[in-house]
Amino acid sequence: MSIRLPLVVGNWKLNGDRELLTSMVARLKQFDADKVETVICPPYVYLNEDTDGVKKGAQSVSTQDAGAFTGEVAGRMLRDVGCHYVIVGHSERRELFGESDEVVAAKVKATLDAGLIPIICVGETDEERENNQTTERVTQQVKAVLDELPSYSDSLVFAYEPVWAIGTGKTASCEQAEEVHAMIRQVLAGYNQELAETTRILYGGSVKPENSKELFASDNIDGGLIGGASLDVESFATICENAVA
């Protein structure tokens, strides 16, 4: 049996409302937390809502702890409203908001300093995959984070999200996804073997109820970072069911 508890995270992006949050929490409370960990990452304005034991995560975080940074939210503030996780380096943040590998590394450090767990997104574009640069690009993204940490934290989660499979309806085959997940774990092992064995690596490329069970059966896929399907209560619940250890 894997020592890594399955983790399923719903990334709502700029979607959802209080009604959906209430319905989702009621459904997720039915899962045994010893068999699957479930997390909801709604927009910032809903993070202060009582989720009755269901864990919450933010979709981003500032590199700063305080100061004249209009529109930013610090990790300590996220902790204050009950967050456990922060998604860092999502491809949309990298592409639309110009977050470089260096910025992502700084946000990971800020997340850890606040006592939160970063879900670190890595992945290649369609062009990079076509040019056989997947290993090079993903390795670069992982190392950019680990090289900046003073020690190898046991509070890291990575999420492989092939950029070409996000919101496109395309999905990496189980074999393709497992190959990259195994490669990421190999990179982690180059830093610390225990880190490689205990770090959860999620798959985040158009996961649906129909493909989740097969994906989660792979040795190195420890759950999912779910986008569109996390906006439907029963679809997300089915994905969580398929991840149960």
Side-chain angles (χ1 to χ4, degrees):
M1 178 179 292
S2 173
I3 60 173
R4 301 183 297 270
L5 179 68
L7 172 64
V8 182
V9 181
N11 176 19
W12 286 9
K13 307 185 181 184
L14 190 58
N15 299 292
D17 52 30
R18 184 178 285 112
E19 181 180 0
L20 176 60
L21 186 62
T22 300
S23 299
M24 189 68 74
V25 167
R27 185 67 175 88
L28 296 184
K29 283 171 56 181
Q30 300 175 26
F31 287 97
D32 185 343
D34 291 329
K35 294 185 176 180
V36 60
E37 185 177 2
T38 60
V39 178
I40 307 172
C41 297
Y44 281 132
V45 294
Y46 300 118
L47 287 175
N48 201 36
E49 297 287 331
D50 181 9
T51 55
D52 199 15
V54 175
K55 290 182 179 177
K56 295 180 286 190
Q59 297 176 19
S60 187
V61 67
S62 176
T63 59
Q64 306 298 321
D65 189 58
F69 302 99
T70 300
E72 291 290 273
V73 177
R76 61 182 177 80
M77 299 173 181
L78 298 174
R79 186 187 64 240
D80 278 349
V81 296
C83 280
H84 289 81
Y85 289 89
V86 180
I87 299 172
V88 182
H90 191 281
S91 61
E92 290 161 3
R93 298 296 310 178
R94 293 176 187 264
E95 180 179 355
L96 300 178
F97 299 94
E99 293 188 2
S100 63
D101 287 347
E102 292 73 23
V103 169
V104 171
K107 288 195 171 191
V108 169
K109 189 173 185 305
T111 300
L112 291 170
D113 287 345
L116 302 171
I117 301 173
I119 300 169
I120 307 157
C121 299
V122 298
E124 82 284 17
T125 64
D126 192 36
E127 181 180 3
E128 288 166 340
R129 173 164 280 274
E130 289 299 318
N131 291 330
N132 297 314
Q133 295 175 318
T134 297
T135 297
E136 176 185 355
R137 179 61 183 132
V138 173
T139 298
Q140 178 186 17
Q141 291 170 327
V142 173
K143 287 187 171 182
V145 170
L146 295 181
D147 286 346
E148 294 302 316
L149 297 183
S151 62
Y152 307 126
S153 171
D154 59 358
S155 296
L156 298 177
V157 175
F158 281 90
Y160 169 54
E161 45 156 21
V163 180
W164 49 272
I166 298 173
T168 64
K170 297 180 181 179
T171 307
S173 68
C174 291
E175 292 75 19
Q176 288 173 318
E178 168 63 12
E179 180 181 12
V180 178
H181 279 240
M183 181 270 292
I184 293 171
R185 205 170 299 284
Q186 185 175 17
V187 174
L188 298 178
Y191 287 82
N192 183 286
Q193 185 59 41
E194 184 179 359
L195 178 72
E197 293 173 356
T198 59
T199 297
R200 290 178 290 185
I201 307 175
L202 313 181
Y203 177 66
S206 294
V207 179
K208 304 177 180 66
E210 296 79 15
N211 62 20
S212 56
K213 190 168 188 176
E214 186 178 5
L215 283 165
F216 297 160
S218 301
D219 289 342
N220 289 288
I221 299 179
D222 304 310
L225 177 60
I226 317 301
S230 71
L231 297 171
D232 181 90
V233 173
E234 287 309 314
S235 291
F236 190 61
T238 298
I239 292 171
C240 294
E241 288 170 358
N242 288 338
V244 170

